[in-house]
Amino acid sequence: MAKQIDKDMLIGDILKVDKDIAGLLMGAGMHCIGCPSSAMESLEEAAMVHGMDVDPLLAHINKYLAAKGE
């Protein structure tokens, strides 16, 4: 079974699951992924800061992980 993430996970931990998730986050408008402080924010906090709904972003990332795990 492919690894899944949740909205409470820290960005730094999410990137440890799969470094390519950084591209998905940047594509969604989170261009601050390289900032040291972003590693300590949860996905939900980062989405809120960027005015995004976390649920579609979370679904997109988990769909990517599921496809990669097949």
Side-chain angles (χ1 to χ4, degrees):
M1 179 176 218
K3 175 79 174 162
Q4 296 285 290
I5 65 162
D6 64 60
K7 63 184 177 184
D8 297 319
M9 288 179 72
L10 300 178
I11 298 291
D13 292 336
I14 292 170
L15 295 177
K16 288 177 188 174
V17 170
D18 187 318
K19 64 179 176 52
D20 293 332
I21 293 174
L24 298 177
L25 295 172
M26 287 189 287
M30 291 186 185
H31 300 282
C32 61
I33 296 304
C35 296
S37 62
S38 73
M40 299 307 296
E41 285 184 322
S42 70
L43 181 63
E44 184 172 42
E45 291 167 335
M48 186 172 42
V49 167
H50 289 88
M52 299 175 173
D53 182 356
V54 70
D55 293 323
L57 179 59
L58 180 62
H60 180 64
I61 293 169
N62 281 326
K63 183 177 178 181
Y64 160 80
L65 289 173
K68 191 168 182 177
E70 291 179 354

